[in-house]
C-alpha cells in the first residue's frame, strides 16, 4: 500500500511536534480524468437516482468522480475532492449517500447527487482504511476495515443526524465546514452500543459515542462483505482466514480456514449463508457458513485473485486479479470461461445490467460484455474449461500452452484516464521537474507556475545503447545488432543540407564520429583516400564476415543504406576513450585522439569496421511497420488503398495525413511516385506491389489546382493522434497489440 507521511491521524501520532506543511497538487489540463489507478467502483442505478445510471470511481489520485452513463458514452458530472491520499473503496448507501475510505485513515460521506459536497469526515481508524461493505442499498449499516486489524461497523444514518457539537469527538464537519446551502454543518454522534468482550472503545476519545469495533484480527484487513439485512459480516486479510461476525453486536462467530495466502476479495449472498472468497493463493472458494466448511474450490486464475462480482442469484461469479484476466465461473457445474484479458492487474468489478465494469491499476475504466442476465450464453460459445481443485492446476495449463482464448477482444466502452506520473527528477535550478508517465511521455514542469513548459512526447526510439557508471564516468555500451535499431529523420537532428526525410542511423553516425580521427590517420598512413562506400577492407577475416553478414535490411534500399552523413562531432579538448577488443589479444582502452591509424581488423570488432569503412549494417529487426488505413465509421471520405501498407517505424502521423490528402486531391493514384521510406501496400491477390506516397514525396507545396487543402485527422483505437507521433509510438502506446496496426482517417473541415 502507498503511504503518505503527512496523512497520519493526529490523535494517534507519536511524532514530535513540528510545523505543518502545505502541499499543492498540480492537476492535468483535463481535470475530468483520473490520473492514477482506479481502486474502486460503485453504481447508482436509475431506480435509486434521478432517472440516470451513475458510476462512481475512486482513484489513487485521491479523488472520486461521478460518471453519467449513456449507451455509448460516460460523462464526468462531478468530482469529489477531499481525501488527501489514495481512495481505496466506496459504497452507495440509502438513496443518495456515497461513503468512501482512504489511506488518509478517514471515511467520508458525500451527497452522491451533488457537485462534490462532503457531508462528514469520520475518524476512528489509526491506519489506512482499505475496504468497505454495505448492507444493501436500503440499509444504513457500513463496515470499514484497515491496516492494524481494525474493523468498525457504522450506522451512517446516525452519523448524519445533527446533535450538539460537544457530544462527539469522532466525526468532523464537511471538508470545508459548510454544507451545500452555506450553513455550518453540526457534528454528529453514532448510535450507542452494548458492552461486549469483542468490542473495544478508543480510550483516546473522551467524548461521545464511537462505532462498533469488531475486535479479533491480529493483522491487516483487506476485504469485507455483508449480507442484505446487515446482520452478518465477513472479513479477511493477511491472516489467511475468513472471519464471520454478528454485525449487530460486533461479536465473533467463527473462522473459516482453507486459503494459504492473503484474502483479497469477499462476497456474501443476500441471505448470508454462502460466502465467496478470492485469495493471493490464486484460488476462489465457496463457503457454506451454516455448515462452517468450504464446499467448492475453483482454480481458475494463474495469480492472485483481487476482485469478485456475482450474479444476483449467486449462481455465477466474475473474477479478476493480478493475471490481468477476467473469468466467469458457474459455481454449480464448475465450468469457466476467459472473458477478456487486459494490460493491468484488475482491482475491482461492478456488474451493470448485461455488462461489467473493470477497474485496474491503470487510470482508465473499461466496460465489457458479460451477459449478466444469462451467463450461460457465454458458455454456449465454447472455449470453456472445468475449474480445477488445486491452485497450481491453472498455472500448469498455462505452462503447457493450453491457455484459453478470450471470448471478447474489445470493451464496449472506455472511460479514459490520464497516465500517472511514475518517475521524476528535480533539476538543478530547483524550479523545473522532469517527469515520465506510465505511457512513456516525458514533460518538463515549472513548479512555480504549475504548468508544463515542454512536452517531449512519448519515447518511440528503441533502446540502442546501455549505460553504466562503474568507472565513475558514463560508459556507453554498443552491442550489435541492437545498437543499429534506432533511426531519426535528418530534420529532427538538424542536419543541414540534407532532405528532411532522409533517415540517419544513430549508432552508425556515432561510430563514425568516434573514429573520425582514426580514419584521418589511417588515410595518411596508407597514402590514399579512405575506402569509398561499398569498398571492402582488405583482410580475409573482415571480408568473409562482411560478405556473410552485411545484407542490407534497413529499408530495402541499398542506395539509402550507402549514404554517408556528416559524422557526429565529439570534443577534441575532452575526448572520450574507447574500450573494445578485436580478433586478437585482449581488451584495450585509448582516447579517440590517440588512435594513430595502426589499429585494424585485429583490434576492432568486424561489424564496427564494416559499418565505418563500408557503410553497411548487420542484419537486424525489421524497421518497418505494417498497418491498415481505413475511413472512420460513417465517414464520407474514402481513398483507394490496396490492402496492407508498410512504412518506416519512425514515420510521423502527419505524413500519413499528407498521404490521405494527396489520394483525395489528385486525379489519379500516385503509382509512379516513390521515395525513401514510401508506403508500400502489401500483395493483395497479385504479385505487383504499389509504390505510393509516403516518407518524402509531399515536400513541395500544392499545385495551383490543389489550393483547397482538406483537414484530416488520424485516429487509432478511437483516439485522435498527434501529427508528431511516429508509427512506433502509436503501436506501442495506443494500439498495444501484436496484430497489424489499424489507423482510421476522417475529414474535419475544408480550409
Amino acid at each position: 500500500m502507498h503511504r503518505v507521511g503527512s496523512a497520519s491521524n493526529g490523535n494517534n501520532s507519536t511524532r514530535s511536534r513540528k510545523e505543518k506543511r502545505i502541499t499543492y497538487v498540480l492537476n492535468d489540463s483535463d481535470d475530468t480524468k483520473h490520473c492514477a489507478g482506479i481502486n474502486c467502483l460503485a453504481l447508482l442505478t436509475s431506480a435509486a437516482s434521478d432517472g440516470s445510471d451513475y458510476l462512481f470511481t475512486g482513484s489513487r489520485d485521491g479523488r472520486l468522480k461521478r460518471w453519467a452513463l449513456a449507451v455509448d458514452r460516460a460523462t464526468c458530472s462531478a468530482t469529489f475532492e477531499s481525501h488527501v491520499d489514495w481512495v481505496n473503496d466506496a459504497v452507495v448507501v440509502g438513496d443518495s449517500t456515497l461513503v468512501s475510505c482512504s489511506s488518509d485513515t478517514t471515511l467520508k460521506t458525500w451527497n452522491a447527487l451533488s457537485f462534490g459536497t462532503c457531508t462528514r469526515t469520520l475518524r476512528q481508524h489509526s491506519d489506512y482504511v482499505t475496504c468497505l461493505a454495505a448492507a444493501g442499498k436500503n440499509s444504513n449499516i457500513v463496515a470499514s476495515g484497515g491496516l492494524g486489524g481494525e474493523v468498525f461497523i457504522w450506522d451512517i444514518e446516525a452519523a448524519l443526524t445533527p446533535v450538539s457539537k460537544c457530544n462527539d469527538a469522532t466525526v468532523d464537519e464537511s471538508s470545508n465546514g459548510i454544507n451545500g446551502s452555506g450553513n455550518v454543518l453540526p457534528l454528529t454522534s453514532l448510535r450507542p452500543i452494548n458492552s461486549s468482550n469483542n468490542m473495544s472503545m478508543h480510550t483516546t476519545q473522551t467524548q461521545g459515542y464511537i462505532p462498533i469495533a469488531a475486535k479479533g484480527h491480529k493483522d491487516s484487513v483487506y476485504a469485507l462483505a455483508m449480507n442484505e439485512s446487515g446482520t452478518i459480516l465477513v472479513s479477511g486479510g493477511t491472516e489467511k482466514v475468513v472471519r464471520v461476525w454478528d454485525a449487530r453486536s460486533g461479536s465473533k462467530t467463527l473462522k473459516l480456514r482453507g486459503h494459504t495466502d492473503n484474502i483479497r476479495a469477499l462476497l456474501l449472498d443476500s441471505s448470508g449463508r454462502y460466502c465467496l472468497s478470492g485469495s493471493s493463493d490464486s484460488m476462489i472458494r465457496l463457503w457454506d457458513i451454516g455448515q462452517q466448511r468450504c464446499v467448492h474450490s475453483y482454480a481458475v486464475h494463474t495469480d492472485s485473485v483481487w476482485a469478485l462480482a456475482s450474479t444476483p442469484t449467486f449462481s455465477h461469479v466474475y473474477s479478476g486479479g493480478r493475471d490481468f484476466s477476467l473469468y466467469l465461473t458457474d459455481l454449480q457445474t464448475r465450468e469457466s470461461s476467459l472473458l477478456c484479458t487486459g494490460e493491468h492487474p484488475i482491482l475491482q468489478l461492478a456488474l451493470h445490467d448485461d455488462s461489467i465494469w473493470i477497474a485496474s491499476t491503470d487510470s482508465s475504466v473499461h466496460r465489457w460484455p458479460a451477459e449478466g442476465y444469462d451467463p450461460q450464453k457465454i458458455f454456449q460459445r465454447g472455449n470453456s474449461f472445468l475449474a480445477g481443485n488445486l491452485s497450481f492446476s491453472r498455472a500448469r495449463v498455462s505452462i503447457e500452452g493450453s491457455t484459453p482464448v478470450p471470448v471478447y477482444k474489445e470493451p464496449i466502452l472506455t472511460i479514459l484516464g490520464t497516465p500517472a506520473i511514475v518517475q521524476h527528477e528535480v533539476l538543478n535550478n530547483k524550479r523545473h521537474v522532469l517527469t515520465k508517465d506510465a505511457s512513456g511521455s516525458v514533460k518538463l514542469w515549472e513548479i512555480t507556475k504549475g504548468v508544463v513548459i515542454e512536452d517531449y512526447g512519448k519515447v518511440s526510439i528503441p533502446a540502442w545503447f546501455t549505460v553504466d557508471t562503474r568507472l565513475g564516468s558514463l560508459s556507453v555500451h554498443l552491442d550489435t545488432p541492437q545498437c543499429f535499431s534506432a533511426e531519426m529523420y535528418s530534420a529532427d537532428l538538424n542536419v543541414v543540407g540534407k532532405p528532411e526525410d532522409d533517415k540517419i542511423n544513430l549508432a552508425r553516425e556515432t561510430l563514425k564520429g568516434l573514429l573520425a580521427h582514426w580514419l584521418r590517420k589511417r588515410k595518411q598512413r596508407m597514402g590514399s583516400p579512405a575506402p569509398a562506400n561499398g569498398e571492402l577492407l582488405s583482410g580475409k577475416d573482415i571480408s568473409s564476415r562482411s560478405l556473410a553478414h552485411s545484407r542490407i535490411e534497413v529499408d530495402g534500399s541499398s542506395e539509402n543504406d550507402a549514404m554517408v552523413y556528416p559524422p557526429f562531432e565529439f570534443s577534441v579538448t575532452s575526448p572520450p576513450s574507447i574500450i573494445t577488443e578485436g580478433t586478437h589479444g585482449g581488451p584495450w582502452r585509448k582516447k579517440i585522439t590517440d588512435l594513430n591509424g595502426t589499429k585494424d581488423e585485429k583490434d576492432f570488432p568486424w561489424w564496427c569496421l564494416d559499418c565505418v569503412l563500408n557503410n553497411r549494417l548487420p542484419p537486424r529487426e525489421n524497421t518497418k511497420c505494417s498497418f491498415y488505413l481505413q475511413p472512420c465509421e460513417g465517414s464520407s471520405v474514402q481513398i483507394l488503398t490496396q490492402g496492407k501498407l508498410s512504412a518506416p517505424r519512425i514515420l510521423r502521423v502527419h505524413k500519413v495525413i499528407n498521404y490521405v490528402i494527396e489520394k483525395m486531391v489528385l486525379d489519379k493514384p500516385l503509382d509512379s511516385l516513390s521515395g525513401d521510406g514510401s508506403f508500400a501496400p502489401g500483395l493483395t491477390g497479385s504479385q505487383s506491389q504499389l509504390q505510393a506516397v509516403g516518407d518524402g514525396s509531399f515536400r513541395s507545396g500544392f499545385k495551383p489546382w490543389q489550393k483547397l487543402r482538406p483537414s484530416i485527422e488520424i485516429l487509432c483505437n478511437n483516439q485522435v493522434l498527434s501529427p508528431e507521433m511516429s508509427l512506433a509510438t502509436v503501436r506501442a502506446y495506443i494500439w498495444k497489440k501484436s496484430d497489424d496496426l489499424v489507423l482510421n482517417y476522417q475529414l474535419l473541415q475544408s480550409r
Side-chain angles (χ1 to χ4, degrees):
M1 296 289 292
H2 173 66
R3 185 175 292 273
V4 174
S6 62
S8 61
N9 189 334
N11 294 329
N12 299 298
S13 176
T14 58
R15 296 184 304 171
S16 59
R17 180 178 177 83
K18 64 178 182 180
E19 296 300 326
K20 306 298 183 183
R21 67 166 49 156
I22 289 181
T23 300
Y24 59 103
V25 181
L26 306 184
N27 294 317
D28 190 84
S29 56
D30 189 353
D31 204 31
T32 63
K33 297 180 179 179
H34 283 298
C35 61
I38 310 297
N39 281 341
C40 57
L41 303 168
L43 278 165
L44 183 62
T45 58
S46 57
S49 64
D50 56 3
S52 301
D53 284 358
Y54 292 109
L55 175 70
F56 296 89
T57 54
S59 171
R60 296 177 178 183
D61 63 15
R63 299 175 296 180
L64 297 104
K65 292 184 181 293
R66 184 183 69 224
W67 305 88
L69 302 179
V71 175
D72 57 349
R73 66 184 183 278
T75 306
C76 181
S77 57
T79 297
F80 302 82
E81 187 167 3
S82 182
H83 284 296
V84 298
D85 207 336
W86 287 11
V87 176
N88 293 323
D89 207 354
V91 293
V92 176
V93 297
D95 292 331
S96 60
T97 300
L98 178 68
V99 183
S100 61
C101 68
S102 167
S103 295
D104 63 12
T105 75
T106 70
L107 280 74
K108 290 182 182 288
T109 63
W110 315 77
N111 183 340
L113 300 179
S114 71
F115 290 102
T117 304
C118 177
T119 54
R120 288 293 183 274
T121 297
L122 309 176
R123 303 181 186 274
Q124 194 66 39
H125 286 267
S126 61
D127 210 330
Y128 294 179
V129 192
T130 58
C131 52
L132 298 172
K137 56 189 176 183
N138 294 320
S139 177
N140 294 296
I141 307 303
V142 172
S144 60
L147 304 190
E150 295 175 326
V151 176
F152 295 104
I153 303 167
W154 306 80
D155 186 332
I156 297 301
E157 184 178 17
L160 295 177
T161 302
V163 297
S164 173
K165 180 176 278 191
C166 64
N167 287 342
D168 187 17
T170 65
V171 183
D172 287 354
E173 302 173 4
S174 63
S175 58
N176 56 5
I178 301 176
N179 66 11
S181 302
N183 300 319
V184 176
L185 293 170
L187 294 176
T188 67
S189 65
L190 302 171
R191 63 188 174 102
I193 58 174
N194 299 321
S195 61
S196 169
N197 293 333
N198 298 311
M199 295 182 291
S200 66
M201 298 181 66
H202 279 242
T203 57
T204 55
Q205 303 293 348
T206 58
Q207 296 180 358
Y209 294 107
I210 60 174
I212 296 176
K215 189 175 181 181
H217 278 284
K218 299 178 178 64
D219 213 334
S220 299
V221 177
Y222 285 104
L224 293 171
M226 196 179 294
N227 66 337
E228 285 287 333
S229 61
T231 58
I232 299 175
L233 173 70
V234 291
S235 61
T238 55
E239 298 173 41
K240 310 172 188 176
V241 299
V242 178
R243 293 182 181 269
V244 184
W245 310 82
D246 184 336
R248 296 164 293 188
S249 64
S251 58
K252 289 184 290 188
T253 303
L254 56 95
K255 293 181 184 178
L256 301 172
R257 302 180 185 274
H259 283 295
T260 59
D261 208 334
N262 300 342
I263 294 171
R264 299 299 301 269
L266 290 168
L267 289 177
L268 271 178
D269 73 336
S270 58
S271 67
R273 177 180 176 181
Y274 292 105
C275 172
L276 277 167
S277 58
S279 168
S280 295
D281 62 12
S282 77
M283 296 293 293
I284 301 170
R285 291 183 180 271
L286 177 64
W287 309 85
D288 187 321
I289 294 179
Q291 297 181 12
Q292 302 185 25
R293 69 184 184 93
C294 177
V295 293
H296 284 296
S297 296
Y298 309 92
V300 174
H301 291 267
T302 58
D303 210 328
S304 302
V305 181
W306 288 352
L308 297 173
S310 71
T311 54
T313 59
F314 219 70
S315 60
H316 297 74
V317 63
Y318 300 86
S319 58
R322 196 175 179 180
D323 58 4
F324 307 171
S325 300
L326 175 69
Y327 287 91
L328 170 68
T329 303
D330 187 319
L331 297 178
Q332 186 64 37
T333 66
R334 309 181 62 84
E335 190 174 8
S336 292
S337 185
L338 174 61
L339 296 188
C340 62
T341 56
E343 300 172 355
H344 306 275
I346 296 173
L347 298 179
Q348 201 165 90
L349 303 170
L351 198 60
H352 184 199
D353 296 335
D354 232 15
S355 60
I356 192 166
W357 291 95
I358 296 180
S360 70
T361 55
D362 184 35
S363 56
S364 299
V365 182
H366 304 281
R367 186 178 187 177
W368 288 83
E371 298 291 353
Y373 294 135
D374 187 5
Q376 288 300 128
K377 289 182 179 179
I378 291 178
F379 298 130
Q380 293 169 4
R381 293 169 176 246
N383 291 327
S384 61
F385 61 93
L386 289 180
N389 289 304
L390 303 176
S391 60
F392 62 81
S393 59
R394 284 290 300 119
R396 182 178 58 196
V397 169
S398 178
I399 293 172
E400 292 172 352
S402 303
T403 307
V405 178
V407 175
Y408 303 110
K409 302 295 185 182
E410 300 289 341
I412 301 171
L413 180 63
T414 295
I415 301 176
L416 290 175
T418 302
I421 293 175
V422 294
Q423 287 179 270
H424 74 277
E425 193 68 39
V426 180
L427 303 189
N428 285 346
N429 64 7
K430 305 305 180 185
R431 290 189 301 112
H432 294 162
V433 178
L434 196 65
T435 63
K436 182 179 180 180
D437 65 29
S439 71
S441 181
V442 178
K443 296 179 181 179
L444 184 65
W445 293 77
E446 183 161 348
I447 64 162
T448 54
K449 292 184 177 180
V451 296
V452 174
I453 58 176
E454 191 74 41
D455 188 343
Y456 299 101
K458 295 182 174 69
V459 178
S460 58
I461 299 176
W464 59 283
F465 63 90
T466 57
V467 173
D468 71 44
T469 56
R470 180 180 176 84
L471 301 179
S473 302
L474 282 179
S475 296
V476 183
H477 310 291
L478 301 180
D479 295 284
T480 187
Q482 299 94 320
C483 67
F484 296 108
S485 62
E487 296 174 333
M488 293 181 67
Y489 288 117
S490 58
D492 296 330
L493 291 171
N494 297 318
V495 176
V496 296
K498 294 292 180 182
E500 63 176 23
D501 296 312
D502 280 350
K503 291 179 295 182
I504 293 180
N505 188 284
L506 300 184
R508 176 169 58 187
E509 298 305 318
T510 299
L511 287 172
K512 291 179 180 179
L514 285 170
L515 298 179
H517 182 82
W518 173 79
L519 282 169
R520 287 193 295 270
K521 291 292 185 180
R522 181 176 181 275
K523 175 183 176 181
Q524 294 172 4
R525 292 179 64 88
M526 296 179 65
S528 61
N533 295 338
E535 179 185 341
L536 291 176
L537 180 69
S538 60
K540 294 182 179 179
D541 288 342
I542 185 65
S543 297
S544 60
R545 288 175 183 263
S546 298
L547 290 172
H549 296 279
S550 60
R551 292 190 302 273
I552 303 303
E553 296 187 3
V554 181
D555 301 302
S557 168
S558 59
E559 292 181 353
N560 175 68
D561 210 50
M563 294 179 67
V564 179
Y565 293 97
F568 293 4
E569 295 182 356
F570 284 85
S571 171
V572 294
T573 56
S574 56
S577 301
I578 285 183
I579 300 177
T580 189
E581 61 181 314
T583 57
H584 298 77
W588 54 272
R589 171 176 175 168
K590 273 192 176 183
K591 279 188 169 57
I592 60 173
T593 51
D594 292 340
L595 297 174
N596 57 12
T598 59
K599 300 289 184 183
D600 56 22
E601 67 272 12
K602 296 187 299 296
D603 305 295
F604 285 104
W606 70 269
W607 57 267
C608 175
L609 294 181
D610 203 23
C611 170
V612 173
L613 297 176
N614 302 318
N615 203 36
R616 291 195 300 217
L617 306 183
R620 55 208 165 93
E621 183 183 350
N622 185 18
T623 58
K624 283 190 175 283
C625 176
S626 298
F627 65 98
Y628 292 93
L629 188 59
Q630 301 170 351
C632 290
E633 185 176 354
S635 174
S636 59
V637 178
Q638 292 194 6
I639 61 173
L640 178 64
T641 58
Q642 297 183 4
K644 187 189 302 183
L645 300 173
S646 179
R649 293 182 303 182
I650 61 174
L651 187 82
R652 300 293 177 88
V653 169
H654 73 82
K655 295 292 182 182
V656 183
I657 294 174
N658 289 344
Y659 172 73
V660 173
I661 291 173
E662 288 200 358
K663 283 291 189 179
M664 289 170 54
V665 300
L666 293 181
D667 290 334
K668 59 182 180 179
L670 302 181
D671 296 351
S672 60
L673 296 182
S674 63
D676 170 34
S678 61
F679 292 117
L683 301 178
T684 55
S686 67
Q687 296 301 311
S688 62
Q689 195 171 19
L690 175 68
Q691 292 295 329
V693 174
D695 228 2
S697 59
F698 202 77
R699 299 170 189 157
S700 59
F702 284 98
K703 295 179 181 179
W705 52 274
Q706 294 175 285
K707 290 185 178 179
L708 287 179
R709 178 185 174 93
S711 182
I712 296 292
E713 64 180 5
I714 305 296
L715 298 86
C716 179
N717 276 346
N718 296 320
Q719 295 187 47
V720 178
L721 304 179
S722 166
E724 296 306 312
M725 295 179 75
S726 68
L727 293 182
T729 300
V730 175
R731 184 178 184 86
Y733 298 107
I734 308 297
W735 183 242
K736 299 180 181 180
K737 300 174 187 175
S738 58
D739 303 336
D740 287 325
L741 180 65
V742 176
L743 301 180
N744 302 102
Y745 60 87
Q746 66 182 9
L747 179 66
L748 287 181
Q749 59 185 1
S750 298
R751 292 187 302 186

